[in-house]
Amino acid sequence: MYRKFGKTKEMVSSLGFGCMRLPIIGADPTNIDEEKATDMIRHAIDAGVNYIDTAYPYHGTGFTRGGASELFVGRVLKDGYRQKVKLATKLPSWLIKTRDDMDKYLNEQLERLETDSIDFYLVHSLNENVWPVLKEAGISEFLEQAIKDGRIKYAGFSFHDQIGLFKEIVDYYDWSFCQIQYNYLDEKYQAGREGLEYAAKKGLGIVIMEPLRGGNIVNLPKEAIEIIDKADVKRTPAEWGLRWVWNHPEVSVVLSGMTTMDHVTENIKVAQEAEANSLTTKELEIIDKVKNLFEERIKVNCTGCAYCMPCPAGINIPGCFSSYNDHWVFDATPAAKKTYELRSSLTAPASKCVECGKCESHCPQGIPIRTELKNVKELFE
């Protein structure tokens, strides 16, 4: 269940607990169900998970202030649990304008997490807009100083852009690790397999986010279920997706944003069994067939990360795209329209978009959200 973390001497659990989709009470993302979430995280740690991942905005209502996730993680890691794990969080890159800003947010995060040092500190969500600003502001000097004074142990970055920029960032600084989106639908998307192999050759530890693509790889259409049911070995769609990622020897940690205890127990079981280069040629062919089916049907490349939220017009943007994709993936199921109408009654329909473009500036996938919301409107309204 443990793998080497690149050129560091650390051994990390192949399953990492992502604290972005914790169970909540009601509809308020800041209202984490602390009893359930505490049980889940501590159960995972007791079972051997030693990589806990959070970030400044997680479980928040926007990107300009800290969310509830870091504060909760600080509490859940009391009673000796902090000593059992490697803690990861992220510098909110989009809020950085000066060198002083970097120290300001790191020091705030140390207080929020109730710790003296962060094991794995990432520069969050690098793209072509924030990267030049960070370089000019002195990101290298900041990371060197933070490592020197012990506030962080290892420096890394998470990435949402094109492969060319990814390689430039990898080569710019002596990073210990990086975090990329990777799953069997995104092998050629963003950093993709090319970036995975490039970073691994440089000795970086590789952390994978969105291994199940925001749940899209779990909720398979009927035709895809028929494909995997023909396999000699019986696995859930989630297990097929996770095993595909873990099959890559370059991968150190696969983050899972678990919401229920069932997610935790299933993922731990798979992590304990999955090894690199363990899938057979026949099994890989099965996944390729499912991949081809998905690629033919998915219309909007949304993972449900909610970086586009909150919408000034009150639209649940990921919810709109979820229903829109469900319509096409699941054979125009009436449930997609019903779910869309329910979401719209609680928030606002796609037709309320004022085309301000704020959402697109935060979207890691580069989705033309305003255009796609018009398509949602045409289909459902």
Side-chain angles (χ1 to χ4, degrees):
M1 186 176 176
Y2 297 93
R3 298 190 178 191
K4 292 180 180 179
F5 201 53
K7 59 190 172 185
T8 74
K9 297 184 183 300
E10 305 289 351
M11 294 295 290
V12 290
S13 55
S14 57
L15 175 65
F17 203 119
C19 299
M20 187 176 80
R21 295 186 173 103
L22 298 170
I24 60 174
I25 298 172
D28 181 358
T30 69
N31 191 15
I32 296 170
D33 189 326
E34 297 213 7
E35 182 178 356
K36 287 183 180 179
T38 297
D39 287 345
M40 289 164 54
I41 293 175
R42 291 189 173 182
H43 175 81
I45 296 171
D46 290 339
V49 172
N50 73 352
Y51 193 101
I52 306 298
D53 172 87
T54 183
Y56 189 71
Y58 288 177
H59 277 279
T61 56
F63 280 75
T64 59
R65 62 181 67 87
S69 180
E70 284 184 331
L71 292 166
F72 167 70
V73 169
R75 292 190 290 272
V76 81
L77 292 183
K78 291 182 178 181
D79 304 324
Y81 280 90
R82 176 67 184 91
Q83 289 71 38
K84 298 179 181 181
V85 302
K86 309 298 182 183
L87 177 60
T89 194
K90 310 173 186 76
L91 177 74
S93 60
W94 55 91
L95 297 177
I96 303 302
K97 304 302 177 188
T98 68
R99 171 71 172 74
D100 288 342
D101 288 342
M102 301 177 194
D103 287 305
K104 168 191 168 184
Y105 285 107
L106 172 55
N107 292 336
E108 180 184 344
Q109 289 174 291
L110 289 167
E111 290 183 12
R112 286 160 57 81
L113 288 161
E114 300 186 51
T115 188
D116 295 326
S117 179
I118 294 165
D119 301 290
F120 299 120
Y121 195 60
L122 300 91
V123 185
H124 199 174
S125 195
L126 292 186
N127 57 48
E128 64 178 357
N129 296 319
V130 301
W131 180 236
V133 177
L134 290 166
K135 287 194 294 183
E136 180 67 24
I139 188 65
S140 297
E141 294 81 359
F142 161 70
L143 294 172
E144 287 297 321
Q145 182 59 45
I147 292 171
K148 184 178 179 179
D149 63 33
R151 286 179 294 168
I152 69 174
K153 191 169 183 180
Y154 299 105
F157 67 94
S158 67
F159 183 80
H160 289 290
D161 213 307
Q162 302 305 309
I163 183 62
L165 180 63
F166 179 78
K167 291 181 177 180
E168 176 190 325
I169 294 171
V170 168
D171 294 340
Y172 182 81
Y173 177 75
D174 186 21
W175 307 99
S176 294
F177 68 109
C178 66
Q179 180 173 312
I180 62 172
Q181 177 172 323
Y182 195 62
N183 54 68
Y184 66 66
L185 293 182
D186 291 327
E187 202 169 357
K188 297 180 181 179
Y189 186 67
Q190 293 187 3
R193 181 185 285 270
E194 184 178 350
L196 175 77
E197 294 175 350
Y198 188 83
K201 287 179 181 178
K202 298 281 185 174
L204 275 65
I206 311 291
V207 181
I208 301 301
M209 56 184 156
E210 302 291 357
L212 301 177
R213 212 172 192 241
N216 286 333
I217 289 175
V218 175
N219 301 310
L220 298 180
K222 181 180 178 181
E223 289 179 50
I225 293 293
E226 291 174 352
I227 292 171
I228 65 174
D229 281 349
K230 293 178 181 178
D232 296 332
V233 59
K234 302 307 174 186
R235 296 173 180 148
T236 65
E239 182 173 355
W240 277 104
L242 291 171
R243 280 182 178 268
W244 184 89
V245 180
W246 274 316
N247 198 56
H248 294 70
E250 301 90 348
V251 171
S252 303
V253 180
V254 174
L255 292 178
S256 180
M258 296 171 274
T259 307
T260 69
M261 185 63 83
D262 286 344
H263 294 161
V264 177
T265 54
E266 178 181 7
N267 290 351
I268 289 172
K269 180 179 182 297
V270 179
Q272 290 171 337
E273 299 172 355
E275 296 181 1
N277 297 318
S278 62
L279 293 181
T280 67
T281 300
K282 190 173 182 180
E283 288 171 329
L284 290 171
E285 289 175 351
I286 289 170
I287 293 175
D288 281 342
K289 290 179 182 178
V290 174
K291 176 181 177 179
N292 293 336
L293 178 66
F294 259 104
E295 288 179 341
E296 292 171 358
R297 294 187 171 208
I298 287 179
K299 301 293 184 181
V300 183
N301 192 44
C302 176
T303 67
C305 71
Y307 280 25
C308 57
M309 299 293 283
C311 167
I315 301 168
N316 181 341
I317 298 170
C320 285
F321 293 155
S322 175
S323 296
Y324 187 69
N325 282 331
D326 284 352
H327 173 87
W328 298 106
V329 171
F330 299 106
D331 306 314
T333 170
K337 189 173 192 299
K338 290 180 181 178
T339 301
Y340 173 78
E341 291 173 344
L342 175 60
R343 286 194 181 109
S344 297
S345 69
L346 297 173
T347 54
S351 57
K352 294 297 183 181
C353 175
V354 296
E355 300 192 47
C356 66
K358 181 180 178 182
C359 52
E360 293 181 10
S361 67
H362 286 301
C363 179
Q365 319 304 328
I367 297 169
I369 295 175
R370 288 170 287 185
T371 298
E372 295 296 355
L373 284 177
K374 291 177 182 177
N375 293 333
V376 174
K377 172 190 172 184
E378 291 177 7
L379 178 65
F380 289 134
E381 294 184 37

